[in-house]
Amino acid sequence: MLLYRSAVWFAKGLREYTKSGYESASKDFIPDELEVQVPGRTFMVTGGNSGIGKATAFEIAKRGGTVHLVCRDQNRAEGARGEIIRESGNQNIFLHIVDLSDPKTVWKFVENFKQEHTLNVLINNAGCMVNKRELTEDGLEKNFATNTLGVYVLTTALIPVLEKEHDPRVITVSSGGMLVQKLNTDDLQSERTAFDGTMVYAQNKVSEGSFSRQQVVLTERWARAHPAIHFSCMHPGWADTPGVRLSMPGFHARLGARLRSEAQGADTVLWLALAPTAALQPSGSFFQDRKPVPTHLPFARTSSSPAEEEKLIEILEELAQRFK
């Protein structure tokens, strides 16, 4: 079944996720939907020092938004911040060094952030793919700690901050790779099965700064629980980013010039974050090229039960409170 799902997903990707797929879909875009200015609105972009995150932060800065970059590597992040300021002319670009794989650090960051700042839009973009099973200092598998638990803690802790503002939004950059994966709450940290970084990536997050099946489920749950905030997931397509080149060199070499540019990958993130029409779409939806799309392949048997989804929430909440 997994081989079937993977074959169907890859064939779909060649049609839709590549540069040609973007060019085809963009013919239906309404051009002026991103012709907006957003001075006075505040955006947080995790993983904003490269790839899709950096492209997103730059475009928001060009439109006058205040941008908070949340990054792990200080040197790279400072370079990206300086470049965004120089090229956009916007001085309101702030940098926060946070390792999302460390939940204690994430909690502390949010506690400090909410004392000094407001927030209108959270863009969950950061993530990693470690191809060998690696534990953090807290004994958490690193992919899970970064891509699922860290995002859960950050988003949950910022919900009260977002709910105070006008037109709050949370966008989670996800991946078509989650289409081949069913939610597996019995082995979230890859303890019981043979570790395969690519399959963990499909379960947790499969493209540079993107999130997984787990994040799709969380987005749907958050949307139901917090109707004042517009939640969404999106798939950027297969983009030529530093993360893809480093973590998936074979995939990168195979697709080469067929991969999307970083700007093309960031387009739907920007649309969801900026366009007034995006907020009219149902909260909790999954988007690709500015349109809501299904989160399951036909006949792929990747749907999860309410009990499985509830178990995911319970596990994440218990872990989150343990490190608070």
Side-chain angles (χ1 to χ4, degrees):
M1 179 57 71
L2 181 57
L3 289 175
Y4 161 77
R5 293 198 299 254
S6 298
V8 172
W9 167 65
F10 193 76
K12 177 182 176 69
L14 290 175
R15 292 193 310 272
E16 300 179 12
Y17 303 161
T18 54
K19 183 184 296 185
S20 62
Y22 174 84
E23 292 168 348
S24 176
S26 66
K27 295 175 183 178
D28 295 326
F29 292 174
I30 300 174
D32 63 359
E33 285 192 314
L34 288 181
E35 297 299 319
V36 296
Q37 296 296 312
V38 287
R41 283 181 68 78
T42 301
F43 302 76
M44 182 182 292
V45 183
T46 67
N49 61 291
S50 68
I52 290 170
K54 182 180 175 183
T56 298
F58 173 62
E59 291 296 330
I60 292 171
K62 281 171 53 179
R63 292 163 172 81
T66 295
V67 180
H68 292 271
L69 303 173
V70 177
C71 307
R72 183 177 58 185
D73 186 302
Q74 183 151 0
N75 289 334
R76 292 173 59 199
E78 287 177 349
R81 175 179 179 268
E83 185 179 337
I84 291 169
I85 291 173
R86 287 193 302 272
E87 295 191 8
S88 69
N90 185 342
Q91 297 292 321
N92 293 318
I93 313 299
F94 301 93
L95 178 58
H96 310 272
I97 303 303
V98 182
D99 185 349
L100 288 179
S101 73
D102 183 349
K104 296 187 296 295
T105 299
V106 179
W107 277 118
K108 183 177 181 180
F109 161 66
V110 174
E111 286 301 310
N112 292 333
F113 181 88
K114 68 183 183 182
Q115 301 299 322
E116 302 178 12
H117 306 286
T118 60
L119 185 64
N120 297 95
V121 180
L122 168 62
I123 299 173
N124 286 315
N125 166 75
C128 72
M129 187 183 81
V130 179
N131 288 309
K132 294 183 179 180
R133 192 169 191 274
E134 180 180 329
L135 300 183
T136 68
E137 291 182 1
D138 295 312
L140 301 167
E141 192 278 311
K142 194 164 186 178
N143 289 297
F144 169 79
T146 304
N147 305 325
T148 299
L149 181 60
V151 174
Y152 177 82
V153 172
L154 182 67
T155 304
T156 301
L158 285 172
I159 281 173
V161 182
L162 288 158
E163 287 180 326
K164 295 178 182 179
E165 303 305 318
H166 172 68
D167 188 20
R169 307 184 189 188
V170 174
I171 299 101
T172 298
V173 181
S174 188
S175 164
M178 63 90 190
L179 291 171
V180 307
Q181 287 288 317
K182 185 180 187 300
L183 181 66
N184 180 8
T185 57
D186 292 327
D187 194 22
L188 291 176
Q189 300 196 58
S190 305
E191 297 172 289
R192 300 182 179 88
T193 56
F195 192 85
D196 181 335
T198 303
M199 283 302 101
V200 170
Y201 208 33
Q203 176 74 9
N204 281 350
K205 103 175 234 331
V206 178
S207 181
E208 199 280 333
S210 49
F211 293 87
S212 67
R213 172 66 65 194
Q214 295 162 19
Q215 264 51 57
V216 171
V217 171
L218 288 174
T219 295
E220 293 169 347
R221 301 276 299 206
W222 283 326
R224 293 196 294 268
H226 305 283
I229 302 173
H230 189 273
F231 290 88
S232 59
C233 272
M234 63 75 62
H235 177 27
W238 293 342
D240 188 354
T241 67
V244 170
R245 291 194 291 273
L246 177 65
S247 299
M248 304 175 72
F251 176 83
H252 181 269
R254 183 176 181 182
L255 273 295
R258 300 165 79 177
L259 294 171
R260 297 183 180 197
S261 68
E262 293 172 350
Q264 290 172 338
D267 178 83
T268 297
V269 187
L270 288 165
W271 181 77
L272 288 166
L274 302 175
T277 52
L280 302 178
Q281 296 285 344
S283 184
S285 298
F286 184 82
F287 292 85
Q288 177 184 312
D289 291 330
R290 304 192 191 184
K291 292 181 179 180
V293 294
T295 57
H296 300 279
L297 292 171
F299 312 113
R301 301 178 185 175
T302 52
S303 297
S304 51
S305 68
E308 289 172 317
E309 294 180 4
E310 187 61 35
K311 184 177 179 181
L312 173 66
I313 300 296
E314 290 174 357
I315 292 170
L316 293 177
E317 183 62 19
E318 189 277 327
L319 286 171
Q321 292 303 318
R322 182 190 304 175
F323 294 106
K324 189 173 183 180

